[in-house]
Each structure stands twice: as structure tokens, then as C-alpha cells.
């Protein structure tokens, strides 16, 4: 994989990062859960993700053969980029509107979390259910497809493992904090940092989405009007 391909690959994990796992993990720990409960939750999630990855590999290889004419067409990928750019613009508008609204009062995390009586089996099932958030994320399928372009098996597996660690970084951070007994300090610091700066952070995200939308729309339009190879095609082919 080229350096640009690696940046695109892990950039996708950062952009699509799933924060819900971290929120659930914090809720479990604050309601009296132990590291064992958290590992059960992560285990249920991991089993499904590994199985889905193994299934997706041959399916994506088959689709790759079917969609090869599309992937080799600058115009087709350029149109896809226009659609993606418009979607990013819509997300940007949504974030601007969300940042302009006053914050909604919430209770403490432990008051809105799981019941106090925690058992291991339900948390395994919760992890299995939580895996649906990744399976429904197009970024996951794209990441599996990108990693499949790497012919070396060990590198292929390492790329997928590292991608998922970045993708679920909030969950991983809570798990590591719980292992060292510092999860309560972590959640306190995060709430102190994010709470008062919610509007500023959402506005910054909206600006980034707007800039990304302009860049992707411009690249797609440029590809349609010239011989330029679209960024998305370069990303998919790891060039």
C-alpha cells in the first residue's frame, strides 16, 4: 500500500469513528460494571465483526470484478464524488443548525445507562447488537475492500486490526482506562473539555465538512471535464 493509500485508509477510520461504543462502555462502568463486563461487550462485538469481515472479503472480490468497468471510468467515479460532495454539504448544514441550538439538558450518565444488576451474557448480546452500527457503516465495507488490495496476508490482517482500533478508539480508550482503573477520571475530563465547547466543536466540524464538500465536488467536476483521475478512484485502487 502506498503512503497516500495508508493516509486515506486510516483517514476513513478517523472520519467515520464510532463514538457510541465509548458512551456505552462508560455507562456500563458507571453502573457498576467491571472490566469483565466490558470485555464481554467488546468480545460480542469482535466476534461479529470478524465474521462479517470474512464474509465480506469474497463478496467484495466478486463485486470488484463486476464493477471493474465502473471503477475504471473517471466519469462514473466523478459522478459518485459529486453525490458524496452533496452529502457532505448536507451534513455540514446539519452540524451548523445543531450548533446553533441551545444544549439539551441531560441527566448524569449513570442515570441513563444500563440497570445496576449487570450480567455477562446480556453484555455479550449487547456487543453483538452494537456491531450493527459498524455493519451499517459504508466506511467499514470500504475499509475491508481497501485492505483486500494488500496481497501480503499479515499486512492485510494488521491493516484491518489497526483500522478497527482507530474506528472504535473511544471504546478502546475506555477499555484501557478501565484496565488501569482510571475510567471515572477519563469521563470527568472529557465532559469538562467537551461540555462548555460543544457549539465551538460542532461549528468547527461543520466548517471541516463544508471544506471537504467543496474539495470533493471540485474534484468530481474536474474529473468530468478533464482527464483527471478522481481522488475516490485513487483511494479505492490504493494508488
Amino acid at each position: 500500500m502506498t503512503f497516500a493509500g495508508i493516509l486515506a485508509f486510516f483517514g476513513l477510520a478517523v472520519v467515520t469513528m464510532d463514538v457510541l461504543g465509548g458512551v456505552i462502555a462508560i455507562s456500563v462502568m458507571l453502573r457498576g460494571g467491571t472490566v469483565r463486563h466490558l470485555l464481554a461487550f467488546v468480545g460480542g462485538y469482535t466476534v461479529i465483526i470478524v465474521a462479517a469481515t470474512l464474509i465480506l472479503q469474497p463478496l467484495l472480490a466478486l463485486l470488484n470484478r463486476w464493477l471493474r468497468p465502473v471503477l475504471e471510468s473517471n466519469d462514473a467515479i466523478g459522478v459518485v464524488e459529486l453525490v458524496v460532495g452533496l452529502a457532505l454539504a448536507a451534513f455540514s448544514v446539519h452540524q451548523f443548525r445543531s450548533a446553533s441550538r441551545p444544549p439539551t439538558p441531560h441527566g448524569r450518565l449513570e442515570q441513563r445507562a444500563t440497570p445496576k444488576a449487570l450480567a455477562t451474557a446480556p453484555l455479550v448480546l449487547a456487543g453483538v447488537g452494537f456491531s450493527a452500527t459498524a455493519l451499517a457503516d459504508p466506511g467499514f465495507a470500504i475499509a475491508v475492500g481497501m485492505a483486500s488490495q494488500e496481497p501480503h496476508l499479515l499486512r492485510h490482517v494488521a491493516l484491518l486490526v489497526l483500522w478497527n482500533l482507530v474506528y472504535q478508539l473511544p471504546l478502546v480508550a475506555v477499555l484501557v482506562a478501565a484496565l488501569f482503573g482510571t475510567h471515572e477520571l477519563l469521563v470527568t475530563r472529557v465532559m469538562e473539555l467537551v461540555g462548555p465547547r460543544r457549539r465551538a466543536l460542532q461549528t468547527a466540524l461543520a466548517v471541516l465538512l463544508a471544506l471537504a464538500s467543496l474539495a470533493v465536488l471540485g474534484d468530481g467536476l474536474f474529473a468530468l471535464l478533464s482527464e483527471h483521475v478522481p481522488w475516490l478512484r485513487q483511494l479505492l485502487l490504493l494508488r
Side-chain angles (χ1 to χ4, degrees), residues 142-222:
I142 293 175
V144 174
M146 291 177 68
S148 67
Q149 303 293 325
E150 173 56 57
H152 195 282
L153 180 60
L154 290 179
R155 292 175 186 171
H156 180 176
V157 173
L159 284 171
L160 284 174
V161 171
L162 290 174
W163 190 90
N164 278 284
L165 288 177
V166 175
Y167 177 69
Q168 289 294 348
L169 187 58
L171 176 57
V172 173
V174 176
L175 177 59
V176 172
L179 289 172
F180 289 94
T182 59
H183 58 283
E184 293 187 8
L185 177 62
L186 173 65
V187 69
T188 300
R189 292 290 182 266
V190 169
M191 297 177 91
E192 288 177 351
L193 177 67
V194 174
R197 300 172 177 83
R198 181 191 68 87
R199 289 190 176 185
L201 291 172
Q202 285 187 310
T203 301
L205 177 59
V207 171
L208 288 175
L209 288 171
L211 293 175
S213 170
L214 291 175
V216 174
L217 284 172
D219 186 68
L221 186 61
F222 185 44

Side-chain angles (χ1 to χ4, degrees), residues 54-98:
L54 294 175
I55 294 172
L56 271 177
Q57 295 283 5
L59 289 179
L60 289 174
L62 179 62
L63 286 174
N64 183 54
R65 290 195 296 271
W66 288 350
L67 296 177
R68 179 59 60 183
V70 175
L71 294 176
E72 293 178 350
S73 170
N74 288 348
D75 290 343
I77 298 298
V79 171
V80 172
E81 284 194 339
L82 292 180
V83 174
V84 172
L86 291 175
L88 289 173
F91 284 128
S92 175
V93 172
H94 172 73
Q95 287 298 324
F96 272 121
R97 295 181 62 183
S98 180

Side-chain angles (χ1 to χ4, degrees), residues 6-92:
I6 291 175
L7 288 180
F9 183 73
F10 289 108
L12 179 67
V14 173
V15 171
T16 61
M17 187 179 294
D18 192 348
V19 299
L20 180 59
V23 173
I24 295 175
I26 288 173
S27 300
V28 170
M29 298 303 291
L30 291 179
R31 293 299 285 179
T34 64
V35 174
R36 175 172 59 86
H37 293 107
L38 198 54
L39 287 174
F41 175 76
V42 174
Y45 171 85
T46 302
V47 167
I48 299 302
I49 291 301
V50 170
T53 300
L54 294 175
I55 294 172
L56 271 177
Q57 295 283 5
L59 289 179
L60 289 174
L62 179 62
L63 286 174
N64 183 54
R65 290 195 296 271
W66 288 350
L67 296 177
R68 179 59 60 183
V70 175
L71 294 176
E72 293 178 350
S73 170
N74 288 348
D75 290 343
I77 298 298
V79 171
V80 172
E81 284 194 339
L82 292 180
V83 174
V84 172
L86 291 175
L88 289 173
F91 284 128
S92 175

